[in-house]
Amino acid sequence: MIRPYLREKGAFAIGEYPEGTAFTAGYLTSRNGGWRSERPVIDISKCVMCSQCYLHCPDGTIFELETEKRYAIDYDFCKGCGICAKMCKPGAITMIPEGTA
Ligand code: SF4
Ligand code: SF4
């Protein structure tokens, strides 16, 4: 559903509004993940491509690398909330403190 106040203010054209839970990664133009204290790291060997991380990320920072058929995370916008790690039942996503490898 399109929020009326956005329509009135003309913040987005109708076609630009996300149909899912979030915009696709890279929609925002200003990096805003700098205050993150932890970051999610995907272990590709455990990933079963169930898309739960992609569907539940509130910032739309998880995207599919189509050429490699795997998910990746845009750290310029990831806030480190950890929802993706919680939703990943195979345990493919680990939250690690920023500043570590
Ligand atoms: S930690 Fe939060 S913002 Fe970052 S990719 Fe996971 S769900 Fe998205
Ligand atoms: S939730 Fe986990 S297993 Fe599913 S696509 Fe994301 S990283 Fe892969």
Side-chain angles (χ1 to χ4, degrees):
M1 178 180 158
I2 296 169
R3 285 176 282 179
Y5 77 91
L6 287 176
R7 197 183 291 183
E8 289 166 10
K9 288 180 177 287
F12 300 106
I14 299 298
E16 294 174 334
Y17 204 79
E19 295 178 1
T21 56
F23 286 101
T24 55
Y27 186 89
L28 298 175
T29 55
S30 300
R31 296 177 181 179
N32 56 15
W35 46 268
R36 182 183 57 234
S37 59
E38 289 186 309
R39 66 179 146 147
V41 175
I42 301 175
D43 181 345
I44 300 303
S45 68
K46 294 181 181 175
C47 176
V48 297
M49 295 296 286
C50 66
S51 303
Q52 290 303 300
C53 56
Y54 168 81
L55 291 170
H56 287 89
C57 173
D59 279 293
T61 62
I62 298 177
F63 61 99
E64 185 176 352
L65 290 171
E66 293 188 6
T67 53
E68 300 178 33
K69 293 294 177 200
R70 68 177 178 87
Y71 281 108
I73 297 167
D74 188 339
Y75 291 118
D76 285 345
F77 300 97
C78 166
K79 309 301 183 301
C81 67
I83 292 174
C84 54
K86 292 277 187 196
M87 296 308 299
C88 181
K89 299 309 176 197
I93 301 180
T94 304
M95 300 300 293
I96 65 169
E98 280 294 344
T100 59

